[in-house]
Amino acid sequence: MKAFLKSNAFRSVLILIAIALVSGLLLSVFNDVLYVSAEERLARTLTKIYGKSIDATEQTVNEEHRTNAYGEVELVYLLEDGNFLIKSTGNGGFKNGKVTLWTVLDCSPSADGDTQWNGVGKVVYESNIKQSYISKTSGMYSEFTLHNGELLQGALFTTDKGGDDITNITAGASMSSAAINNAVNAAIVYFRNVYLGAENKYLYEDYIDVKNSTATVGEGKIDYALTVKGNSPAKQFLIDITVENGIITAYEIKTNGSSPASYADKMPAEVKDGTLFVGKDEAQIKALLTDKGALTTESGLLSSGATRSTESCVRAAAFAVCNYALVLGQGGLA
């Protein structure tokens, strides 16, 4: 035993123990020095926006509306000037990554004392997951404040061109751009639903450009011509669907929005030709999607290599069949 205590091996163990203790102590010190509390992070964000810290009262996030088609709302604050500040994370980034932002919803009291929304006041970057080109997107943030008239008419932000939504994209970083747009959209949709009472009329409406879609109603039958919103990197799809007595009887992709176009070849054949959907009812189609509108693992559609395109096609089917009774009753898309 005495020989071991005098050996080089024992000295090496002591040195390693000493290094571990010192490293642990330094790490603890640095953690204390570098730690930023939630309150300090909020104060820094408010300073970026207003040039100073102002009073902010945290609001309870409405769990029913916390997540939507675009992402998730994490925090909501009512500011002393009457504006709302929402921290939200957008989906659809590169490698399924995400971007987290702070969005100011500019508000003022209306004549009847309710909240009057004036549009987006400012957007501030917070963090990202797996977005290697995020530094290229800095020019996007000012764009969010330039389209308030369109936002008040129901528009949102997209990387697509055309349609009623607002195009905002950085060349060379389209998927990070999509996640940034979705973070702002998530905040806007939450605010509309919770504070303005602007609930969606249709199931899966967030995925469909309803204004540029039609539904021709017959006896127990609806012929849809749907414009499916971009699902980055996939662009808009144009899809014709027929629903009879609550069952999809025809499904045809008129314009395939896969991007790049070669990804259309990676889509499952039964999705491209519509046979996956024909003969299915509401329950069977809904089983292909999660509550957040993403493809389920059980669907067997996640390994095609064209997930976003496939997802768009399933969402179109879900919109068509799940709103069958409503659209039939009102005689079309109203």
Side-chain angles (χ1 to χ4, degrees):
M1 184 65 177
K2 291 182 179 179
F4 172 71
L5 294 176
K6 295 180 179 180
S7 68
N8 289 333
F10 180 67
R11 293 191 186 96
S12 297
V13 170
L14 288 178
I15 291 171
L16 289 173
I17 292 173
I19 291 173
L21 290 172
V22 172
S23 297
L25 178 61
L26 290 174
L27 183 60
S28 176
V29 171
F30 279 121
N31 280 340
D32 289 339
V33 171
L34 300 176
Y35 173 72
V36 179
S37 66
E39 293 78 8
E40 177 61 23
R41 191 176 294 277
L42 173 63
R44 291 180 182 182
T45 299
L46 291 170
T47 300
K48 286 182 183 179
I49 296 168
Y50 289 97
K52 60 180 181 180
S53 182
I54 67 171
D55 289 341
T57 304
E58 185 171 355
Q59 309 293 293
T60 301
V61 176
N62 185 309
E63 291 300 326
E64 181 181 351
H65 296 287
R66 177 185 289 274
T67 60
N68 54 51
Y70 304 98
E72 179 177 357
V73 168
E74 299 178 27
L75 294 167
V76 180
Y77 292 93
L78 175 60
L79 306 180
E80 67 176 59
D81 59 3
N83 293 337
F84 282 82
L85 176 65
I86 297 180
K87 182 183 180 182
S88 56
T89 297
N91 302 325
F94 182 63
K95 292 186 176 179
N96 291 319
K98 302 180 180 184
V99 175
T100 299
L101 306 174
W102 294 88
T103 301
V104 176
L105 287 309
D106 184 65
C107 300
S108 57
S110 63
D112 56 8
D114 292 333
T115 298
Q116 177 178 306
W117 183 41
N118 303 314
V120 172
K122 192 159 187 176
V123 175
V124 175
Y125 170 80
E126 169 71 12
S127 62
N128 77 87
I129 298 174
K130 297 190 289 190
Q131 303 309 290
S132 53
Y133 291 137
I134 197 71
S135 61
K136 295 184 177 182
T137 63
S138 58
M140 292 182 64
Y141 299 104
S142 60
E143 189 73 17
F144 290 115
T145 66
L146 303 179
H147 301 276
N148 288 336
E150 295 155 271
L151 292 177
L152 297 180
Q153 295 299 313
L156 290 170
F157 293 95
T158 180
T159 55
D160 282 341
K161 295 181 180 179
D164 294 328
D165 284 335
I166 304 154
T167 302
N168 193 10
I169 184 172
T170 296
S174 60
M175 296 190 74
S176 292
S177 298
I180 290 170
N181 283 336
N182 284 341
V184 176
N185 289 341
I188 292 173
V189 169
Y190 176 90
F191 183 78
R192 286 173 176 167
N193 289 338
V194 174
Y195 294 100
L196 303 181
E199 298 274 1
N200 283 345
K201 183 174 185 178
Y202 301 104
L203 293 172
Y204 302 100
E205 181 179 340
D206 287 336
Y207 312 115
I208 306 298
D209 185 349
V210 177
K211 291 182 179 179
N212 290 299
S213 300
T214 62
T216 303
V217 175
E219 188 67 32
K221 172 184 174 182
I222 304 174
D223 291 315
Y224 291 95
L226 298 180
T227 299
V228 185
K229 292 181 178 180
N231 185 22
S232 183
K235 306 296 184 183
Q236 282 186 349
F237 274 70
L238 302 181
I239 302 176
D240 289 353
I241 302 173
T242 299
V243 182
E244 297 183 62
N245 300 315
I247 305 291
I248 295 176
T249 58
Y251 187 107
E252 182 181 2
I253 298 173
K254 307 296 287 188
T255 300
N256 193 310
S258 295
S259 179
S262 61
Y263 271 62
D265 297 330
K266 298 183 179 182
M267 294 174 61
E270 65 270 28
V271 173
K272 285 203 295 182
D273 63 19
T275 55
L276 175 69
F277 310 108
V278 173
K280 286 186 169 59
D281 60 15
E282 177 176 343
Q284 291 170 306
I285 295 297
K286 288 176 74 172
L288 302 175
L289 294 170
T290 69
D291 292 341
K292 297 181 181 180
L295 295 173
T296 63
T297 303
E298 294 75 17
S299 70
L301 300 172
L302 288 171
S303 59
S304 68
T307 303
R308 301 302 183 196
S309 294
T310 301
E311 203 168 60
S312 291
C313 294
V314 177
R315 289 170 173 177
F319 178 88
V321 72
C322 293
N323 293 297
Y324 169 76
L326 173 59
V327 175
L328 190 69
Q330 65 188 19
L333 293 173

